Short mmCIF file of all heavy atoms in Angstrom, two decimals:
data_model
loop_
_atom_site.label_atom_id
_atom_site.label_comp_id
_atom_site.label_asym_id
_atom_site.label_seq_id
_atom_site.Cartn_x
_atom_site.Cartn_y
_atom_site.Cartn_z
N ASP A 173 98.76 99.49 78.83
CA ASP A 173 99.96 99.86 78.06
C ASP A 173 100.98 100.60 78.93
O ASP A 173 100.67 101.00 80.06
CB ASP A 173 99.60 100.63 76.81
CG ASP A 173 98.96 99.76 75.74
OD1 ASP A 173 99.07 98.53 75.81
OD2 ASP A 173 98.33 100.33 74.83
N THR A 174 102.21 100.79 78.39
CA THR A 174 103.31 101.26 79.23
C THR A 174 104.17 102.35 78.59
O THR A 174 105.29 102.59 79.02
CB THR A 174 104.21 100.08 79.64
OG1 THR A 174 104.83 99.51 78.47
CG2 THR A 174 103.41 99.01 80.37
N LEU A 175 103.65 103.01 77.53
CA LEU A 175 104.34 104.09 76.84
C LEU A 175 105.60 103.60 76.11
O LEU A 175 105.85 102.38 76.01
CB LEU A 175 104.67 105.24 77.79
CG LEU A 175 103.45 105.89 78.46
CD1 LEU A 175 103.92 106.99 79.43
CD2 LEU A 175 102.51 106.49 77.41
N TYR A 176 106.36 104.53 75.53
CA TYR A 176 107.47 104.21 74.65
C TYR A 176 108.80 104.04 75.38
O TYR A 176 109.57 103.13 75.07
CB TYR A 176 107.58 105.33 73.59
CG TYR A 176 108.65 105.09 72.56
CD1 TYR A 176 108.33 104.46 71.36
CD2 TYR A 176 109.95 105.52 72.73
CE1 TYR A 176 109.29 104.24 70.38
CE2 TYR A 176 110.94 105.30 71.78
CZ TYR A 176 110.60 104.68 70.60
OH TYR A 176 111.56 104.45 69.64
N ASP A 177 109.07 104.90 76.35
CA ASP A 177 110.39 104.89 76.99
C ASP A 177 110.60 103.59 77.75
O ASP A 177 109.70 103.09 78.45
CB ASP A 177 110.51 106.07 77.95
CG ASP A 177 110.71 107.39 77.24
OD1 ASP A 177 111.22 107.37 76.11
OD2 ASP A 177 110.34 108.43 77.83
N THR A 178 111.82 103.08 77.69
CA THR A 178 112.10 101.79 78.32
C THR A 178 112.36 101.86 79.83
O THR A 178 112.40 100.86 80.50
CB THR A 178 113.32 101.13 77.64
OG1 THR A 178 114.45 101.99 77.75
CG2 THR A 178 113.03 100.83 76.19
N ASP A 179 112.52 103.09 80.35
CA ASP A 179 112.77 103.20 81.79
C ASP A 179 111.48 103.45 82.59
O ASP A 179 111.52 103.52 83.82
CB ASP A 179 113.78 104.31 82.09
CG ASP A 179 113.33 105.70 81.63
OD1 ASP A 179 112.18 105.83 81.17
OD2 ASP A 179 114.13 106.65 81.75
N ALA A 180 110.36 103.59 81.91
CA ALA A 180 109.05 103.76 82.56
C ALA A 180 108.99 104.94 83.51
O ALA A 180 108.15 104.98 84.40
CB ALA A 180 108.67 102.48 83.31
N ILE A 200 99.07 94.67 84.53
CA ILE A 200 99.54 95.36 83.34
C ILE A 200 98.86 94.70 82.16
O ILE A 200 99.12 93.51 81.88
CB ILE A 200 101.07 95.28 83.19
CG1 ILE A 200 101.77 95.86 84.43
CG2 ILE A 200 101.51 96.01 81.93
CD1 ILE A 200 103.29 95.63 84.41
N LEU A 202 97.99 94.84 78.06
CA LEU A 202 98.54 95.40 76.84
C LEU A 202 97.54 95.30 75.69
O LEU A 202 96.95 94.25 75.47
CB LEU A 202 99.82 94.66 76.49
CG LEU A 202 100.87 94.67 77.61
CD1 LEU A 202 101.97 93.66 77.36
CD2 LEU A 202 101.44 96.09 77.79
N HIS A 204 98.34 95.64 72.44
CA HIS A 204 98.92 94.88 71.33
C HIS A 204 100.45 94.97 71.42
O HIS A 204 100.97 95.72 72.26
CB HIS A 204 98.40 95.34 69.97
CG HIS A 204 98.74 96.76 69.65
ND1 HIS A 204 98.21 97.84 70.31
CD2 HIS A 204 99.58 97.29 68.69
CE1 HIS A 204 98.68 98.95 69.82
NE2 HIS A 204 99.51 98.66 68.85
N GLY A 205 101.13 94.28 70.49
CA GLY A 205 102.58 94.15 70.62
C GLY A 205 103.39 95.09 69.78
O GLY A 205 104.33 94.66 69.10
N HIS A 206 103.10 96.38 69.80
CA HIS A 206 103.93 97.39 69.13
C HIS A 206 104.74 98.17 70.15
O HIS A 206 104.26 98.48 71.23
CB HIS A 206 103.06 98.35 68.31
CG HIS A 206 102.57 97.78 67.01
ND1 HIS A 206 101.54 98.30 66.30
CD2 HIS A 206 102.99 96.65 66.34
CE1 HIS A 206 101.34 97.56 65.22
NE2 HIS A 206 102.19 96.58 65.21
N ARG A 207 105.95 98.51 69.77
CA ARG A 207 106.93 99.14 70.68
C ARG A 207 106.38 100.35 71.43
O ARG A 207 106.65 100.52 72.61
CB ARG A 207 108.19 99.52 69.88
CG ARG A 207 109.09 100.60 70.54
CD ARG A 207 109.69 100.11 71.87
NE ARG A 207 110.27 101.22 72.61
CZ ARG A 207 111.53 101.63 72.47
NH1 ARG A 207 112.34 101.04 71.64
NH2 ARG A 207 112.01 102.63 73.20
N SER A 208 105.59 101.19 70.75
CA SER A 208 105.11 102.40 71.41
C SER A 208 104.36 102.11 72.70
O SER A 208 104.27 102.97 73.58
CB SER A 208 104.19 103.17 70.45
OG SER A 208 104.92 103.66 69.36
N HIS A 209 103.82 100.91 72.81
CA HIS A 209 102.95 100.55 73.95
C HIS A 209 103.66 99.61 74.94
O HIS A 209 103.09 99.29 75.98
CB HIS A 209 101.68 99.91 73.43
CG HIS A 209 101.03 100.74 72.37
ND1 HIS A 209 100.16 101.76 72.64
CD2 HIS A 209 101.13 100.71 71.02
CE1 HIS A 209 99.76 102.34 71.52
NE2 HIS A 209 100.34 101.70 70.50
N LEU A 210 104.89 99.19 74.58
CA LEU A 210 105.57 98.18 75.38
C LEU A 210 106.85 98.67 76.04
O LEU A 210 107.50 97.91 76.75
CB LEU A 210 105.92 96.99 74.49
CG LEU A 210 104.81 96.30 73.70
CD1 LEU A 210 105.39 95.20 72.82
CD2 LEU A 210 103.76 95.74 74.64
N GLY A 211 107.21 99.93 75.82
CA GLY A 211 108.54 100.40 76.27
C GLY A 211 108.84 100.15 77.72
O GLY A 211 109.89 99.59 78.07
N GLY A 212 107.94 100.54 78.61
CA GLY A 212 108.21 100.43 80.04
C GLY A 212 107.81 99.13 80.68
O GLY A 212 107.92 98.97 81.90
N LEU A 213 107.34 98.19 79.88
CA LEU A 213 106.79 96.95 80.42
C LEU A 213 107.76 96.19 81.31
O LEU A 213 107.41 95.82 82.43
CB LEU A 213 106.31 96.06 79.27
CG LEU A 213 105.87 94.65 79.64
CD1 LEU A 213 104.68 94.68 80.61
CD2 LEU A 213 105.53 93.85 78.39
N ALA A 214 108.95 95.90 80.80
CA ALA A 214 109.88 95.05 81.54
C ALA A 214 110.25 95.67 82.88
O ALA A 214 110.31 94.96 83.91
CB ALA A 214 111.13 94.78 80.70
N VAL A 215 110.48 96.98 82.91
CA VAL A 215 110.82 97.66 84.16
C VAL A 215 109.65 97.61 85.14
O VAL A 215 109.83 97.30 86.32
CB VAL A 215 111.25 99.10 83.90
CG1 VAL A 215 111.28 99.91 85.17
CG2 VAL A 215 112.61 99.15 83.24
N LEU A 216 108.46 97.89 84.66
CA LEU A 216 107.30 97.87 85.56
C LEU A 216 107.02 96.49 86.10
O LEU A 216 106.66 96.34 87.28
CB LEU A 216 106.07 98.43 84.83
CG LEU A 216 106.11 99.91 84.48
CD1 LEU A 216 104.88 100.31 83.68
CD2 LEU A 216 106.17 100.75 85.78
N LYS A 217 107.20 95.48 85.29
CA LYS A 217 107.02 94.12 85.75
C LYS A 217 108.04 93.79 86.85
O LYS A 217 107.69 93.21 87.90
CB LYS A 217 107.17 93.14 84.59
CG LYS A 217 107.25 91.67 84.98
CD LYS A 217 105.96 91.17 85.63
CE LYS A 217 106.06 89.66 85.90
NZ LYS A 217 104.82 89.14 86.53
N VAL A 224 101.06 90.32 84.01
CA VAL A 224 101.04 90.88 82.66
C VAL A 224 100.04 90.11 81.81
O VAL A 224 100.09 88.87 81.74
CB VAL A 224 102.44 90.82 81.99
CG1 VAL A 224 102.39 91.33 80.57
CG2 VAL A 224 103.44 91.63 82.82
N ALA A 226 97.84 89.88 77.96
CA ALA A 226 97.71 90.27 76.55
C ALA A 226 96.97 89.14 75.83
O ALA A 226 96.79 88.05 76.37
CB ALA A 226 99.07 90.50 75.92
N TRP A 229 97.71 85.94 70.62
CA TRP A 229 98.41 86.18 69.37
C TRP A 229 99.57 87.14 69.56
O TRP A 229 100.56 87.08 68.81
CB TRP A 229 97.46 86.73 68.32
CG TRP A 229 98.00 86.67 66.93
CD1 TRP A 229 97.86 85.66 66.02
CD2 TRP A 229 98.84 87.64 66.28
NE1 TRP A 229 98.53 85.92 64.86
CE2 TRP A 229 99.15 87.15 64.99
CE3 TRP A 229 99.35 88.88 66.65
CZ2 TRP A 229 99.94 87.85 64.07
CZ3 TRP A 229 100.15 89.58 65.76
CH2 TRP A 229 100.43 89.06 64.48
N GLU A 230 99.50 88.03 70.54
CA GLU A 230 100.54 89.03 70.76
C GLU A 230 101.61 88.56 71.73
O GLU A 230 102.66 89.19 71.84
CB GLU A 230 99.91 90.32 71.30
CG GLU A 230 98.70 90.83 70.55
CD GLU A 230 99.02 91.48 69.24
OE1 GLU A 230 100.10 92.08 69.11
OE2 GLU A 230 98.18 91.40 68.30
N ALA A 231 101.38 87.47 72.44
CA ALA A 231 102.20 87.11 73.59
C ALA A 231 103.66 86.86 73.22
O ALA A 231 104.59 87.31 73.92
CB ALA A 231 101.63 85.89 74.30
N ASP A 232 103.92 86.13 72.11
CA ASP A 232 105.33 85.85 71.79
C ASP A 232 106.05 87.06 71.24
O ASP A 232 107.28 87.17 71.33
CB ASP A 232 105.45 84.64 70.86
CG ASP A 232 104.67 84.80 69.55
OD1 ASP A 232 103.86 85.74 69.45
OD2 ASP A 232 104.86 83.96 68.64
N ILE A 233 105.32 88.02 70.65
CA ILE A 233 105.93 89.29 70.25
C ILE A 233 106.37 90.05 71.49
O ILE A 233 107.50 90.54 71.58
CB ILE A 233 104.94 90.14 69.45
CG1 ILE A 233 104.55 89.44 68.14
CG2 ILE A 233 105.54 91.52 69.15
CD1 ILE A 233 103.47 90.16 67.36
N ILE A 234 105.50 90.13 72.47
CA ILE A 234 105.78 90.85 73.71
C ILE A 234 106.98 90.21 74.45
O ILE A 234 107.82 90.89 75.04
CB ILE A 234 104.54 90.91 74.59
CG1 ILE A 234 103.45 91.75 73.90
CG2 ILE A 234 104.84 91.48 75.96
CD1 ILE A 234 102.07 91.60 74.46
N ALA A 235 107.04 88.87 74.38
CA ALA A 235 108.13 88.14 75.02
C ALA A 235 109.44 88.20 74.25
O ALA A 235 110.47 87.69 74.70
CB ALA A 235 107.72 86.67 75.22
N GLY A 236 109.42 88.83 73.06
CA GLY A 236 110.64 88.95 72.27
C GLY A 236 111.00 87.72 71.47
O GLY A 236 112.10 87.62 70.94
N GLU A 237 110.08 86.79 71.32
CA GLU A 237 110.32 85.54 70.59
C GLU A 237 109.98 85.65 69.11
O GLU A 237 110.37 84.79 68.32
CB GLU A 237 109.50 84.42 71.24
CG GLU A 237 109.87 84.17 72.69
CD GLU A 237 108.86 83.31 73.42
OE1 GLU A 237 107.83 82.92 72.80
OE2 GLU A 237 109.09 83.03 74.59
N ARG A 238 109.24 86.68 68.74
CA ARG A 238 108.85 86.90 67.35
C ARG A 238 108.72 88.40 67.15
O ARG A 238 108.26 89.12 68.02
CB ARG A 238 107.48 86.20 67.08
CG ARG A 238 106.88 86.51 65.71
CD ARG A 238 105.67 85.60 65.45
NE ARG A 238 104.59 85.79 66.38
CZ ARG A 238 103.52 86.56 66.15
NH1 ARG A 238 103.46 87.25 65.03
NH2 ARG A 238 102.57 86.67 67.06
N GLU A 239 109.15 88.89 65.98
CA GLU A 239 109.02 90.33 65.72
C GLU A 239 107.57 90.66 65.34
O GLU A 239 106.84 89.79 64.87
CB GLU A 239 109.97 90.79 64.65
CG GLU A 239 109.65 90.30 63.25
CD GLU A 239 110.55 90.94 62.21
OE1 GLU A 239 111.65 91.44 62.53
OE2 GLU A 239 110.14 90.96 61.02
N ALA A 240 107.20 91.89 65.59
CA ALA A 240 105.87 92.33 65.21
C ALA A 240 105.71 92.25 63.71
O ALA A 240 106.68 92.44 62.94
CB ALA A 240 105.64 93.78 65.67
N GLN A 241 104.50 91.92 63.24
CA GLN A 241 104.26 91.78 61.83
C GLN A 241 104.57 93.08 61.11
O GLN A 241 104.09 94.16 61.52
CB GLN A 241 102.81 91.37 61.55
CG GLN A 241 102.54 91.03 60.11
CD GLN A 241 101.20 90.31 59.93
OE1 GLN A 241 100.70 89.73 60.87
NE2 GLN A 241 100.67 90.39 58.73
N GLY A 259 109.63 102.54 60.53
CA GLY A 259 110.35 101.73 61.51
C GLY A 259 109.76 100.33 61.64
O GLY A 259 110.52 99.33 61.69
N LEU A 260 108.43 100.23 61.66
CA LEU A 260 107.80 98.93 61.75
C LEU A 260 107.99 98.14 60.47
O LEU A 260 108.16 96.93 60.50
CB LEU A 260 106.31 99.10 62.08
CG LEU A 260 105.50 97.82 62.32
CD1 LEU A 260 106.11 96.96 63.42
CD2 LEU A 260 104.05 98.16 62.66
N GLY A 263 111.43 96.70 60.62
CA GLY A 263 111.75 95.87 61.77
C GLY A 263 112.52 96.56 62.84
O GLY A 263 113.15 95.91 63.67
N PHE A 264 112.48 97.91 62.86
CA PHE A 264 113.18 98.65 63.92
C PHE A 264 112.28 98.81 65.13
O PHE A 264 111.12 98.39 65.13
CB PHE A 264 113.60 100.03 63.42
CG PHE A 264 114.56 99.99 62.26
CD1 PHE A 264 114.62 101.05 61.37
CD2 PHE A 264 115.41 98.91 62.06
CE1 PHE A 264 115.49 101.03 60.29
CE2 PHE A 264 116.28 98.88 60.99
CZ PHE A 264 116.33 99.94 60.11
N GLY A 265 112.80 99.45 66.17
CA GLY A 265 111.98 99.77 67.34
C GLY A 265 111.73 98.60 68.26
O GLY A 265 110.59 98.29 68.62
N LYS A 266 112.81 97.91 68.65
CA LYS A 266 112.66 96.78 69.56
C LYS A 266 112.36 97.25 70.99
O LYS A 266 112.77 98.33 71.40
CB LYS A 266 113.93 95.93 69.56
CG LYS A 266 114.36 95.44 68.20
CD LYS A 266 113.33 94.54 67.55
CE LYS A 266 113.83 94.02 66.20
NZ LYS A 266 112.81 93.16 65.54
N HIS A 267 111.67 96.43 71.73
CA HIS A 267 111.37 96.74 73.13
C HIS A 267 112.06 95.70 74.03
O HIS A 267 112.32 94.58 73.58
CB HIS A 267 109.86 96.70 73.36
CG HIS A 267 109.28 95.33 73.19
ND1 HIS A 267 108.99 94.80 71.94
CD2 HIS A 267 108.96 94.35 74.08
CE1 HIS A 267 108.51 93.56 72.07
NE2 HIS A 267 108.48 93.26 73.36
N PRO A 268 112.36 96.02 75.26
CA PRO A 268 112.86 95.02 76.19
C PRO A 268 111.81 93.93 76.38
O PRO A 268 110.66 94.21 76.75
CB PRO A 268 113.10 95.80 77.49
CG PRO A 268 113.25 97.23 77.06
CD PRO A 268 112.33 97.38 75.90
N PRO A 269 112.13 92.69 76.12
CA PRO A 269 111.11 91.64 76.17
C PRO A 269 110.65 91.36 77.58
O PRO A 269 111.36 91.56 78.57
CB PRO A 269 111.84 90.43 75.58
CG PRO A 269 113.28 90.70 75.80
CD PRO A 269 113.44 92.17 75.72
N CYS A 270 109.41 90.87 77.66
CA CYS A 270 108.82 90.51 78.94
C CYS A 270 107.76 89.45 78.70
O CYS A 270 106.94 89.58 77.79
CB CYS A 270 108.21 91.73 79.62
SG CYS A 270 107.44 91.39 81.22
N ALA A 271 107.77 88.39 79.47
CA ALA A 271 106.79 87.32 79.28
C ALA A 271 105.40 87.78 79.67
O ALA A 271 105.22 88.57 80.61
CB ALA A 271 107.21 86.10 80.12
N VAL A 272 104.41 87.28 78.95
CA VAL A 272 103.02 87.50 79.31
C VAL A 272 102.62 86.38 80.29
O VAL A 272 102.82 85.20 80.01
CB VAL A 272 102.12 87.47 78.05
CG1 VAL A 272 100.65 87.46 78.42
CG2 VAL A 272 102.46 88.64 77.16
#
Side-chain angles (χ1 to χ4, degrees):
D173 288 342
T174 64
L175 299 178
Y176 183 92
D177 287 334
T178 58
D179 61 5
I200 303 172
L202 304 166
H204 63 292
H206 283 164
R207 160 64 193 271
S208 294
H209 309 275
L210 304 177
L213 172 60
V215 166
L216 290 175
K217 170 64 175 181
V224 177
W229 196 92
E230 312 285 329
D232 57 349
I233 297 174
I234 295 165
E237 299 166 357
R238 173 170 63 96
E239 70 173 21
Q241 188 166 337
L260 184 56
F264 298 154
K266 304 299 183 182
H267 65 279
C270 180
V272 171

